[in-house]
Amino acid sequence: MNSQKSGTSVYKRADSAEQKKDRRLMILNAATEELDHLPSADDFTLDSLARRLGLSRGTIYLYFKNRDAIFAEILIDTVNKFLSEMARSFSLLPTPTTSRKMARAYCDVLKKDRELRHLPSLLKSLSKSSDKKAKRLEEEIESCRHLADVTMTRKLKGLQSGDGRLIMHFGWSLLLGFSEFMNSPTKTGISPDVLQQVEDGLTLIIDGLLARVK
Amino acid sequence: MNSQKSGTSVYKRADSAEQKKDRRLMILNAATEELDHLPSADDFTLDSLARRLGLSRGTIYLYFKNRDAIFAEILIDTVNKFLSEMARSFSLLPTPTTSRKMARAYCDVLKKDRELRHLPSLLKSLSKSSDKKAKRLEEEIESCRHLADVTMTRKLKGLQSGDGRLIMHFGWSLLLGFSEFMNSPTKTGISPDVLQQVEDGLTLIIDGLLARVK
């Protein structure tokens, strides 16, 4: 907790483009920290973020239109991280691989990177938003799906173009559904139980796709 | 809106067992109505329920320990309704049937009965509760899974004992996941988009199960 009165800034005004970029990044980092300490993204408020930073809410508004704009930016970062981690994890898969190994590689990514634990909560918050940023985010997610599509169809004989996209689509829904069901705690990351369920469900979905092709 | 002051009861004291049963049912009906008017079960409060009924909160506590106890009761009703509707819907399926038809029959149940629209929201609320009632609910859900298991394995050659249980398990997770993603409105029932996604996902999962057996 910051002992200062809310609204009192300890920082000098950010004037140069460089300073503004730093300030922006500082806000995003503090928001990620703030999320670490909350049970869900729904509990996030700009007031407590401002307190954490020792900035006024007004200053935050200079950089971000609203809470959703901050979430969208964090989620874009998270999705990008997921993207590169997934590319790495999938490149380690044998060719050809199995549905189980592919589903596990997907879940391993979610397990390894602590930062990805906010994914379900953020996805959920932003699905309720019609913010423009959220639209841009959809494009990022789309490129994530595209990469999955290219990698998965290459690694697993029998998958058709478009199947990797479906696997990502259902994977995220299973992740969100089981996270809600099983009340996965945020601080410790996505719970192993949730990840096991997602892995099992995804394996079946991939098997279903492979069966469809035959 | 009731114009009376909150806490002032218009009802006489319920003395006989019969009266108590009626009062209990009245509270449950009002709670279901209340849910109809809220975006999510999270927004439900005992205060607004008391206002709707013209009862005091204290009177409600005579019948239900807390909000979760009310939700559990409504959800048990809902699950029972789902159970009998599903039995009816599945009995109309041809024998043998296909994975797509089976997944559609499952989603048709959710589509037909307006009361079932609270299912995702209630499931979500109660998954966060450790209430004893919620434990009893798990048993109801388990019997729902059991019925699904018996019916599904009979209708679709190639499914093994236990597969119907898995289909229900993943079906509810997909329902919850996509409802969260797509922000399905409560008032008008579960959105057709969500149901289409659940149907597609479940079809693949059933195909995956069938492929596993071969």
Side-chain angles (χ1 to χ4, degrees):
Chain A
M1 260 297 193
N2 196 306
S3 62
Q4 290 186 58
K5 264 184 290 179
S6 165
T8 315
S9 174
V10 276
Y11 302 100
K12 289 194 194 128
R13 196 170 144 179
D15 284 316
S16 72
E18 193 60 33
Q19 280 171 326
K20 279 184 183 154
K21 212 178 137 194
D22 285 353
R23 174 70 59 90
R24 202 181 153 79
L25 201 63
M26 189 183 71
I27 295 173
L28 288 173
N29 287 339
T32 310
E33 256 178 51
E34 183 78 11
L35 281 172
D36 281 353
H37 292 86
L38 295 171
S40 123
D42 284 340
D43 303 305
F44 184 101
T45 67
L46 286 184
D47 278 330
S48 65
L49 175 61
R51 266 197 306 276
R52 176 177 292 274
L53 282 159
L55 290 176
S56 71
R57 262 172 71 117
T59 306
I60 294 176
Y61 282 127
L62 293 177
Y63 296 86
F64 297 97
K65 203 176 67 185
N66 51 34
R67 192 183 82 150
D68 285 343
I70 296 178
F71 282 1
E73 200 104 348
I74 295 177
L75 192 44
I76 286 170
D77 266 10
T78 310
V79 169
N80 275 327
K81 184 149 237 156
F82 183 79
L83 206 66
S84 59
E85 288 287 333
M86 200 180 60
R88 211 180 60 87
S89 179
F90 278 30
S91 71
L92 297 173
L93 281 174
T95 318
T97 189
T98 65
S99 55
R100 173 63 68 180
K101 280 181 189 158
M102 186 167 269
R104 190 168 297 152
Y106 174 91
C107 291
D108 277 348
V109 171
L110 294 167
K111 190 158 56 189
K112 259 179 222 147
D113 202 314
R114 256 190 96 246
E115 279 185 48
L116 290 174
R117 72 198 174 286
H118 298 307
L119 198 57
S121 193
L122 286 170
L123 281 173
K124 189 188 136 193
S125 287
L126 278 170
S127 65
K128 292 182 179 160
S129 143
S130 56
D131 196 78
K132 281 269 164 51
K133 268 275 171 41
K135 296 287 166 216
R136 182 159 90 76
L137 177 74
E138 264 173 39
E139 292 164 24
E140 295 279 334
I141 290 178
E142 180 48 36
S143 71
C144 194
R145 287 191 175 138
H146 178 70
L147 178 104
D149 208 40
V150 173
T151 327
M152 287 178 174
T153 47
R154 203 171 49 211
K155 284 283 175 183
L156 192 48
K157 206 170 139 44
L159 286 184
Q160 292 176 322
S161 167
D163 285 348
R165 216 175 280 268
L166 284 175
I167 293 166
M168 291 296 288
H169 182 66
F170 289 118
W172 286 12
S173 167
L174 287 171
L175 176 64
L176 194 48
F178 281 118
S179 295
E180 291 287 334
F181 257 138
M182 303 170 116
N183 197 19
S184 164
T186 320
K187 272 189 206 178
T188 53
I190 302 165
S191 93
D193 289 349
V194 168
L195 289 175
Q196 186 58 53
Q197 296 293 339
V198 175
E199 185 189 314
D200 289 349
L202 264 191
T203 302
L204 286 171
I205 282 172
I206 299 171
D207 284 338
L209 288 167
L210 291 173
R212 201 186 50 180
V213 173
K214 274 172 201 162
Chain B
M1 263 295 198
N2 197 308
S3 62
Q4 290 184 60
K5 265 184 287 178
S6 166
T8 315
S9 174
V10 277
Y11 303 101
K12 288 195 194 126
R13 191 169 147 183
D15 284 317
S16 72
E18 193 61 33
Q19 281 171 325
K20 280 183 181 154
K21 211 177 136 194
D22 285 354
R23 175 68 58 90
R24 200 181 154 78
L25 201 63
M26 190 183 72
I27 295 173
L28 287 174
N29 287 340
T32 310
E33 257 178 50
E34 184 78 11
L35 280 173
D36 281 354
H37 293 86
L38 296 172
S40 122
D42 283 340
D43 302 306
F44 184 102
T45 67
L46 286 184
D47 278 329
S48 64
L49 175 62
R51 267 198 305 275
R52 176 177 291 272
L53 282 159
L55 291 175
S56 72
R57 264 172 71 117
T59 306
I60 294 176
Y61 281 126
L62 293 176
Y63 296 87
F64 297 97
K65 203 176 65 184
N66 52 33
R67 192 183 83 151
D68 284 344
I70 297 178
F71 282 1
E73 201 104 349
I74 295 177
L75 191 45
I76 285 170
D77 267 11
T78 310
V79 169
N80 274 327
K81 185 150 236 157
F82 184 79
L83 206 65
S84 60
E85 289 287 335
M86 200 181 60
R88 212 179 60 86
S89 179
F90 277 30
S91 71
L92 297 173
L93 282 174
T95 316
T97 189
T98 64
S99 55
R100 173 63 67 179
K101 279 181 188 157
M102 186 166 271
R104 190 168 296 152
Y106 173 91
C107 291
D108 277 349
V109 170
L110 294 168
K111 190 158 54 191
K112 259 179 220 145
D113 202 313
R114 256 189 96 246
E115 280 185 49
L116 291 174
R117 73 197 174 287
H118 298 307
L119 198 57
S121 192
L122 286 170
L123 281 173
K124 191 189 134 192
S125 287
L126 278 170
S127 65
K128 291 182 179 160
S129 143
S130 56
D131 196 79
K132 280 267 164 51
K133 268 276 171 44
K135 296 286 166 218
R136 183 159 89 75
L137 177 74
E138 264 173 39
E139 292 163 26
E140 295 279 334
I141 290 177
E142 179 48 36
S143 71
C144 195
R145 286 190 177 140
H146 178 71
L147 178 105
D149 208 40
V150 172
T151 328
M152 286 178 176
T153 47
R154 202 170 51 212
K155 283 283 175 183
L156 191 49
K157 208 169 139 40
L159 287 184
Q160 293 176 321
S161 168
D163 284 349
R165 216 175 279 267
L166 283 175
I167 293 166
M168 291 296 288
H169 183 66
F170 289 118
W172 287 12
S173 166
L174 287 171
L175 176 63
L176 194 48
F178 282 118
S179 295
E180 291 288 334
F181 257 138
M182 303 171 115
N183 197 20
S184 163
T186 320
K187 272 190 204 177
T188 53
I190 302 166
S191 94
D193 288 348
V194 169
L195 289 175
Q196 187 58 54
Q197 297 293 338
V198 174
E199 185 189 312
D200 290 348
L202 264 191
T203 302
L204 285 172
I205 282 172
I206 299 171
D207 283 338
L209 288 166
L210 292 172
R212 200 185 52 179
V213 174
K214 274 173 202 162

